[in-house]
Amino acid sequence: MGILDGKTILVTGVTMTSSIAYKVAEIAQQEGARVLVSNFGRALSLTHRVVKRLEPSPDVIELDVTSQEHLDALADVLRDLGVERLDGVVHSIAFANPETALGGAFLQTPFEDVSTSVHVSAYSLVSLTMACKPLFGETASVVGLTFDARVSWPAYDWMGVSKAALESASRYLARYLGPEGVRSNIVAAGPVDTVAKKAIPGSHSFNDIWAERAPLGWDASDATPTAKAVVALLSDWFPATTGEMVHVDGGLHSTGA
Ligand code: NAP
């Protein structure tokens, strides 16, 4: 018996085996879910390759969250793959221009780049959820991923602002879709050595901060604790939890300087 037995889950953002979403897909399958994964553009061929390591190898969907066409077609694409009901969706997507919106250029970032970051990293939580909604049953669970944006971090800049928007958007999803049985929650992970993290100039300093301050310690090479929390929130074990942000950060958020 797994905690996701009988559930069908869409996991976005699987590019490499290092992707947090890959680990989520793996554990969700181990817990009994049928998993479908998505990614976009050039990385799609990588996704097709990495999912072959999963057993069974999940269906892969092309989904650029900035494409209204892709979002409009999503429910039908899922139906064509035999999905009658979707029980959960994992938003594991973020992008900001590393040259202009990350790494210390915060005060000079043009709005165009801010807009891209917020569109891909925050607004898409809502547009993705609404695209999946036609397939939701009596209950459904939406889970997103943040790097705790209640505070500022070195170099994180407009991604930090976008994550604050993501965290807030999740609370509004919880408000508006709660009456329809949809829960929306966020996992605030510590640093995980993925492609997205490596694209942030100076992001190695996060590992130093965690090494110094996380009471439980922290292994940035292992997405398992983060993925387990995502899977738990997808399951029926948090039936009355929504609009929440769960920290999976070795306890760092609870410490002072
Ligand atoms: P990742 O493997 O690079 O995943 C990010 C994903 O976003 C990639 O699959 C990327 O696709 C996808 N993406 C970007 N633009 C997209 C678009 N327009 N439409 C659809 N997909 C798009 O890195 P990750 O660290 O696992 O990131 C997953 C999530 O965890 C992100 O929300 C990230 O902010 C969050 N998070 C990460 C950390 C960390 O330290 N790594 C900590 C806390 C939270 P491409 O590969 O094709 O660009």
Side-chain angles (χ1 to χ4, degrees), residues 26-216:
E26 185 180 72
I27 295 174
Q29 286 192 334
Q30 286 163 6
E31 291 298 328
R34 175 185 175 191
V35 171
L36 300 97
V37 307
S38 74
N39 207 346
F40 87 120
R42 284 174 302 167
L44 204 59
S45 58
L46 284 175
T47 306
H48 277 285
R49 218 175 304 152
V50 304
V51 298
K52 290 207 173 87
R53 295 174 184 228
L54 295 170
E55 182 54 47
S57 178
D59 287 309
V60 177
I61 294 168
E62 179 176 13
L63 176 64
D64 176 348
V65 286
T66 64
S67 162
Q68 196 55 46
E69 203 184 322
H70 284 187
L71 290 166
D72 290 345
L74 182 60
D76 282 339
V77 169
L78 288 165
R79 280 190 197 101
D80 287 347
L81 290 166
V83 176
E84 288 168 10
R85 191 193 68 227
L86 196 61
D87 302 289
V89 52
V90 179
H91 179 282
S92 191
I93 293 170
F95 175 77
N97 186 331
E99 277 158 32
T100 57
L102 298 165
F106 183 82
L107 300 176
Q108 280 79 41
T109 308
F111 179 68
E112 206 186 330
D113 293 335
V114 172
S115 165
T116 300
S117 175
V118 172
H119 189 179
V120 176
S121 317
Y123 175 74
S124 63
L125 178 73
V126 180
S127 55
L128 173 68
T129 300
M130 292 310 288
C132 292
K133 193 168 168 280
L135 286 169
F136 289 166
E138 277 180 25
T139 64
S141 173
V142 178
V143 184
L145 286 142
T146 194
F147 190 64
D148 193 346
R150 297 172 309 160
V151 294
S152 68
W153 298 101
Y156 207 49
D157 295 4
W158 288 99
M159 183 55 77
V161 177
S162 303
K163 288 300 190 190
L166 175 85
E167 292 164 16
S168 180
S170 173
R171 290 187 286 270
Y172 279 94
L173 278 178
R175 170 182 289 266
Y176 283 110
L177 294 182
E180 296 180 58
V182 180
R183 295 177 289 120
S184 177
N185 292 290
I186 295 285
V187 170
V192 181
D193 292 332
T194 63
V195 174
K197 178 185 165 237
K198 285 175 190 157
I200 305 166
S203 62
H204 55 86
S205 69
F206 299 153
N207 295 23
D208 301 336
I209 296 169
W210 258 257
E212 253 172 52
R213 286 183 36 205
L216 291 174

Side-chain angles (χ1 to χ4, degrees), residues 3 28 221:
I3 61 172
S221 69

Side-chain angles (χ1 to χ4, degrees), residues 1-14:
M1 281 287 284
I3 61 172
L4 297 184
D5 271 350
K7 293 195 186 292
T8 301
I9 309 289
L10 173 63
V11 180
T12 64
V14 177

